[in-house]
Amino acid sequence: RSRANPRAFRLALVGPGWVVGGAEAAGGARDPGIHVAATDCWAHLLSQRRFEEMQEKDPRLALALFKLLARIMAHGQENVIEQLGILQSIVTSAPLKKPVSRYTMGAISHSVMRA
């Protein structure tokens, strides 16, 4: 969470070659959210209007971009499914016999805040 905005959170950490906002744009979302880089990076914006022009002028390029977005979204979906499996195993596991200490909870909280 950001100190400037306590409601902000890190949804994902991505690396070179990733597309941000592709699923939102493909779905026609008006407000895909605010994306903030944790480090210096290059960002390229492809507006809806420019994408539509690209579809007219070079349909193969538009199709290649759609295929790339589909691959990235499928990979993201695989990650979500994996995380849901982990959460399900946590929820259905036997409870602890002894409460977690404040020291341990502080360490967990600190590591989550940095992630």
Side-chain angles (χ1 to χ4, degrees):
R1 293 189 186 266
S2 164
R3 289 185 182 154
N5 183 357
R7 293 180 54 191
F9 62 96
R10 179 180 293 173
L11 180 62
L13 184 61
V14 297
W18 280 85
V19 176
V20 178
E24 294 88 347
R30 293 241 179 229
D31 183 10
I34 298 170
H35 302 86
V36 178
T39 60
D40 291 344
C41 70
W42 284 93
H44 301 276
L45 172 66
L46 180 61
S47 69
Q48 184 69 30
R49 181 181 59 77
R50 294 289 298 216
F51 182 73
E52 289 168 1
E53 288 174 8
M54 181 178 62
Q55 284 179 304
E56 292 292 321
K57 291 179 182 172
D58 193 347
R60 286 185 178 192
L61 180 59
L63 181 58
L65 180 59
F66 270 128
K67 286 172 71 174
L68 172 66
L69 291 174
R71 191 174 316 125
I72 290 170
M73 287 188 283
H75 179 70
Q77 194 170 24
E78 290 169 3
N79 288 343
V80 168
I81 290 169
E82 181 181 332
Q83 290 171 357
L84 286 173
I86 293 168
L87 289 173
Q88 192 266 345
S89 68
I90 291 169
V91 168
T92 59
S93 64
L96 296 174
K97 305 245 187 269
K98 184 171 106 175
V100 177
S101 71
R102 289 178 185 248
Y103 178 79
T104 302
M105 287 302 294
I108 292 169
S109 176
H110 181 70
S111 69
V112 169
M113 295 297 274
R114 290 191 318 164

